[in-house]
Amino acid sequence: MEYRIVAEMAEPGGGTLKEWHMVRPDAVVAMCGRELDMSEKSLPSDAWGTERARPFCHTCGALFLREVPHGA
Ligand SMILES: [Zn+2]
């Protein structure tokens, strides 16, 4: 399992995207603590910082940066 990015929808079960959150391997909530529907759309963690993964949860982004240093 790897980090992944899971969509938070504006309404349960679909509709429009609210924002993306980062989820730790095997976690059942986002890094920021938000409970997500893990069956929603997801992206690989390397989509973080790209146009595909916007808007992105600021809390998750900050935690992910600290936890997973890039360019290492
Ligand atoms: Zn988040």
Side-chain angles (χ1 to χ4, degrees):
M1 283 287 282
E2 298 195 342
Y3 285 78
R4 62 202 175 107
I5 297 167
V6 177
E8 178 186 1
M9 307 309 284
E11 291 158 34
T16 52
L17 175 78
K18 187 174 176 198
E19 60 184 1
W20 297 96
H21 294 265
M22 189 65 75
V23 179
R24 289 190 183 97
D26 298 322
V28 295
V29 296
M31 291 180 77
C32 64
R34 170 80 65 181
E35 290 184 36
L36 298 174
D37 179 352
M38 293 299 166
S39 65
E40 272 297 351
K41 279 180 285 188
S42 64
L43 296 170
S45 64
D46 62 9
W48 184 81
T50 70
E51 204 59 53
R52 281 203 297 162
R54 285 187 193 139
F56 202 90
C57 171
H58 290 288
T59 306
C60 281
L63 290 170
F64 183 64
L65 250 189
R66 206 178 330 161
E67 200 164 300
V68 184
H70 287 261

